[in-house]
Amino acid sequence: VVKPAADEQQRLVAALRAGERRALARALSWVESGHPGAPELLTDVCQASPVPWVIGVTGVGGAGKSTLVPRLAQGLLAEGLRVGILAVDPSSPFSGGAILGDRIRDTGDASSRVFFRSVATRGGSGALAGCVHDLVRVMGAGGFDVVLVETVGAGQSEVAVMELAHTVVLVCAPGLGDEIQAIKAGVMEVADLIVVNKADLPGAEATAHTLRQALGLPMDAHHLAEGRNDDGQGPCRWHTPVVMASSISGQGLDQVRAQVLAHRQTQRDNGDYAARDRQRDRWRMQQLFTQLVVERATECAARMSVWSAIEAELADRTLDPWTAAARATDSVISACFKNRQETT
Amino acid sequence: VVKPAADEQQRLVAALRAGERRALARALSWVESGHPGAPELLTDVCQASPVPWVIGVTGVGGAGKSTLVPRLAQGLLAEGLRVGILAVDPSSPFSGGAILGDRIRDTGDASSRVFFRSVATRGGSGALAGCVHDLVRVMGAGGFDVVLVETVGAGQSEVAVMELAHTVVLVCAPGLGDEIQAIKAGVMEVADLIVVNKADLPGAEATAHTLRQALGLPMDAHHLAEGRNDDGQGPCRWHTPVVMASSISGQGLDQVRAQVLAHRQTQRDNGDYAARDRQRDRWRMQQLFTQLVVERATECAARMSVWSAIEAELADRTLDPWTAAARATDSVISACFKNRQETT
């Protein structure tokens, strides 16, 4: 793939800004596949495009995230917000059923209005989170107010992705024992809202009780039904609520919607919302800096033929990987780049 | 933790080489925790220490890896080999039951002779694989001939770890449907031996049949019972066999042992064994090079106060993360380091 002409990329951004669905799909593909035009596209996209509200939805498999997310999307749509869904699949070679092509999604009545996209990226959890960050910015240029980022599982990659969100929803279900796992692993500290899904199943009350206890919440949660989050600690301090819901019967879905909206309001009032936006950009910049530095150093090492001598010594075991790496680093820094402090 | 005195680290290596169990545990802890003495310890350890035969054992949860691995260890012990087990836990915040402290292991009769160690490292799959590489080298200095590297799950991190092994064993069990997952995700291409564990359960024959069919193997696998791997393609070409086994009844365990030994012999005969050792060291060197370059560039950026100006522009959105990262990279390379091509 060759780098596109500047006008091709500008036309794409213009069409994206005009709200064309096909331009959106194409821009997302550019970013996802690491197309050579992606960096300039993203630079353009960032200029004067609003950043969407990012709601991360996580939880172990079987908790019913993929049914809950479209219902939440519908609820936010009814509030007049433009809603998109990014379903993130960390492409585990053979974790439970996380094979992209197999995912058939029920987006319900809103299927024609809620934009849905599956994301699968190879690479570590950092690379995945970086990609999601960029996709969210593209969605912003496409006019979306809210992006629901849903993860398939609930491992390390998913936590990295959740760190990008303004609002994190943890979905649990009775009988999975995930409330215990969540408490142990400290995931509850990341969650802004915990949904006990499948509330019609036996054990749902017990699960909610365990979670509330662990969070130190009052067992009586009637105030949540009114979309309030007033635990007596002042309006600017958020206390993670536990809401019981059922995507099937519709029970509690209004509360879920009301609580995510309340969370956004609290975040805006206390400045956390803007802070998270800044933090996210800073994190992405640092990640890109690391990537560029490594690219430049690798090019330099190749130009200097640093590896050929070292690899021979490594192969006959006169050199170990640690000493070899240190030597290569010194070569690149002192020969190909030169430290100014030494030259001046 | 401060860097240890050189003689402390030398004493540790000497005790490790003398086969002291406590020195082994301490050296492994240094590496696992990123102790400041670890790089020099590893440089020492690599000098004149043999590299163990690494057998990677992977497969989805529930396939019975943690029962099979000690049985295989016992079998290799009976061959006169010194055997150690590293159980790798990619510390997913809340994947299924992968919490280190909860793991209770049955190492059977060999518990006093087979060294067992759980490994949990934070960081991406690359960091985990790098750590396992180093731990294996420490085990080599401690006199181990074989290290069985067992993974808890079977995701991306686990595949990265498997790439370090000389011999990869994929463990399946009837009814889990993992043979289908393995075929889809291409994990079968990595496996050198597939074990259908829990062979006494219904459906085991069907699972083995599906796997053999997918591999294009003859359905009649009697030659495997004699520890041969002669599929008519010559002695130097390995064809992944499917072996039925039961850790409980002991069925097929001799075949598993015979096949891993046969695989090692074939690899040695055709040069793949040594090639994999070289490849592993080269990979680790490249990984450490990347790490060192990033460390140096980060230090340089901090010394130059590169970030302070950029972060202000980033915060007020006059700069996007992509342009900002490129500018920081240029600053570090042209100001703090200087390209020789420009100066000469």
Side-chain angles (χ1 to χ4, degrees):
Chain A
V1 189
V2 292
K3 196 169 173 178
D7 65 326
E8 187 192 345
Q9 173 234 311
Q10 280 158 11
R11 270 201 312 273
L12 181 57
V13 173
L16 172 67
R17 286 237 163 84
E20 287 179 26
R21 187 58 60 102
R22 250 186 300 181
L24 174 64
R26 189 153 170 244
L28 293 173
S29 293
W30 275 27
V31 170
E32 207 183 343
S33 66
H35 188 280
E40 280 169 37
L41 172 83
L42 287 162
T43 300
D44 267 19
V45 149
C46 275
Q47 284 167 0
S49 292
V51 181
W53 173 26
V54 181
I55 306 178
V57 183
T58 192
V60 296
K65 291 187 296 293
S66 54
T67 328
L68 184 73
V69 165
R71 299 300 297 268
L72 177 57
Q74 285 173 326
L76 294 168
L77 208 68
E79 301 278 333
L81 297 165
R82 281 200 61 194
V83 186
I85 302 174
L86 292 176
V88 175
D89 183 336
S91 35
S92 303
F94 60 117
S95 65
I99 310 232
L100 190 67
D102 292 349
R103 305 196 71 204
I104 296 157
R105 297 297 301 269
D106 170 27
T107 47
D109 300 337
S111 59
S112 57
R113 289 178 299 160
V114 172
F115 181 86
F116 175 86
R117 171 104 179 186
S118 265
V119 185
T121 307
R122 298 266 155 199
S125 54
L128 181 68
C131 179
V132 170
H133 172 278
D134 295 356
L135 295 173
V136 165
R137 298 304 291 262
V138 170
M139 302 279 285
F144 289 90
D145 304 304
V146 191
V147 178
L148 288 162
V149 177
E150 172 201 343
T151 61
V152 165
Q156 207 164 347
S157 299
E158 287 80 358
V159 168
V161 170
M162 286 305 120
E163 280 165 5
L164 300 172
H166 298 97
T167 305
V168 175
V169 180
L170 172 65
V171 184
C172 298
L176 295 178
D178 34 331
E179 71 276 19
I180 305 301
Q181 299 284 356
I183 292 163
K184 273 191 183 167
V187 181
M188 285 177 56
E189 290 161 30
V190 187
D192 300 306
L193 170 64
I194 300 178
V195 178
V196 178
N197 202 15
K198 306 185 180 179
D200 43 336
L201 289 187
E205 276 291 357
T207 297
H209 187 88
T210 308
L211 290 164
R212 287 197 185 108
Q213 212 161 29
L215 288 164
L217 283 182
M219 289 305 123
D220 166 26
H222 288 304
H223 65 286
L224 293 174
E226 294 140 47
R228 294 184 291 122
N229 192 269
D230 49 357
D231 56 356
Q233 297 185 28
C236 277
R237 187 159 159 195
W238 183 258
H239 208 129
T240 303
V242 177
V243 170
M244 297 192 52
S246 165
S247 318
I248 311 302
S249 73
Q251 178 202 335
L253 293 177
D254 286 348
Q255 279 185 56
V256 172
R257 183 189 51 189
Q259 287 300 322
V260 295
L261 287 165
H263 181 253
R264 181 175 68 157
Q265 195 53 54
T266 303
Q267 294 263 94
R268 281 181 170 169
D269 291 346
N270 65 19
D272 278 357
Y273 193 93
R276 227 181 258 208
D277 272 342
R278 281 196 302 274
Q279 190 187 331
R280 187 165 53 185
D281 275 356
R282 214 157 47 219
W283 170 83
R284 184 67 177 130
M285 174 183 67
Q286 292 275 4
Q287 190 187 42
L288 289 164
F289 169 72
T290 298
Q291 195 179 308
L292 290 172
V293 163
V294 169
E295 274 170 24
R296 296 264 205 121
T298 305
E299 279 163 25
C300 171
R303 207 163 58 228
M304 298 283 300
S305 309
V306 163
W307 300 122
S308 49
I310 287 175
E311 283 188 347
E313 286 183 74
L314 196 69
D316 66 16
R317 296 267 159 84
T318 52
L319 205 61
D320 62 276
W322 298 269
T323 312
R327 194 188 287 180
T329 307
D330 286 342
S331 297
V332 165
I333 295 204
S334 71
C336 198
F337 307 141
K338 198 151 179 71
N339 196 314
R340 181 186 263 180
Q341 293 185 312
E342 290 163 19
T343 56
T344 54
Chain B
V1 187
V2 292
K3 196 168 174 180
D7 65 327
E8 186 191 345
Q9 173 233 312
Q10 281 157 11
R11 270 202 311 273
L12 181 56
V13 174
L16 173 66
R17 287 237 163 85
E20 285 179 27
R21 188 57 62 100
R22 250 184 301 181
L24 175 64
R26 192 154 168 242
L28 293 172
S29 293
W30 275 26
V31 170
E32 207 183 344
S33 65
H35 188 280
E40 281 169 38
L41 173 84
L42 287 162
T43 301
D44 267 19
V45 149
C46 274
Q47 285 166 0
S49 291
V51 182
W53 174 26
V54 181
I55 306 177
V57 183
T58 192
V60 296
K65 291 187 297 292
S66 54
T67 329
L68 184 73
V69 165
R71 298 301 298 266
L72 177 57
Q74 286 173 326
L76 294 169
L77 208 68
E79 300 278 334
L81 297 165
R82 281 200 63 194
V83 185
I85 301 173
L86 292 177
V88 175
D89 183 337
S91 34
S92 304
F94 62 115
S95 65
I99 311 235
L100 189 68
D102 292 349
R103 305 196 71 205
I104 296 157
R105 296 299 300 269
D106 171 25
T107 47
D109 301 335
S111 59
S112 56
R113 289 179 299 161
V114 173
F115 181 86
F116 175 86
R117 172 104 179 187
S118 265
V119 185
T121 306
R122 297 267 154 198
S125 54
L128 182 67
C131 179
V132 170
H133 171 278
D134 295 357
L135 294 173
V136 165
R137 298 303 292 261
V138 170
M139 302 278 285
F144 288 90
D145 304 305
V146 191
V147 178
L148 288 162
V149 177
E150 172 202 342
T151 60
V152 165
Q156 207 165 346
S157 299
E158 287 81 358
V159 169
V161 170
M162 285 305 120
E163 280 166 4
L164 300 173
H166 298 96
T167 304
V168 175
V169 180
L170 171 64
V171 185
C172 297
L176 295 178
D178 34 332
E179 71 277 17
I180 305 301
Q181 299 282 357
I183 292 163
K184 273 190 183 167
V187 180
M188 283 177 56
E189 290 160 30
V190 186
D192 300 305
L193 171 66
I194 299 178
V195 178
V196 178
N197 202 16
K198 305 185 179 178
D200 43 334
L201 290 187
E205 275 292 356
T207 298
H209 187 88
T210 308
L211 290 165
R212 286 198 185 107
Q213 212 160 29
L215 288 164
L217 282 183
M219 290 304 124
D220 166 25
H222 288 304
H223 64 288
L224 293 174
E226 294 140 48
R228 294 184 292 124
N229 192 269
D230 49 358
D231 56 356
Q233 297 184 30
C236 276
R237 188 160 157 194
W238 183 257
H239 209 129
T240 303
V242 177
V243 170
M244 298 190 53
S246 165
S247 317
I248 311 301
S249 73
Q251 178 202 335
L253 293 178
D254 287 347
Q255 278 184 56
V256 172
R257 182 189 51 189
Q259 287 299 322
V260 295
L261 287 165
H263 181 255
R264 181 175 68 160
Q265 194 55 52
T266 302
Q267 295 263 94
R268 282 182 170 168
D269 291 346
N270 65 19
D272 278 358
Y273 192 93
R276 228 181 257 208
D277 272 342
R278 282 197 301 273
Q279 190 188 330
R280 187 164 55 184
D281 274 356
R282 215 160 43 223
W283 172 82
R284 184 66 176 131
M285 174 182 68
Q286 293 275 4
Q287 190 187 42
L288 290 163
F289 170 72
T290 298
Q291 196 179 308
L292 289 172
V293 163
V294 170
E295 274 170 24
R296 296 263 205 123
T298 305
E299 279 163 26
C300 172
R303 208 163 57 228
M304 298 284 300
S305 309
V306 163
W307 301 121
S308 49
I310 288 175
E311 283 187 347
E313 287 183 74
L314 197 69
D316 66 16
R317 294 267 160 85
T318 51
L319 203 62
D320 63 275
W322 297 269
T323 311
R327 194 189 288 180
T329 307
D330 286 341
S331 297
V332 165
I333 294 203
S334 71
C336 198
F337 306 141
K338 198 152 180 70
N339 196 312
R340 181 185 264 180
Q341 294 183 313
E342 289 165 19
T343 55
T344 54

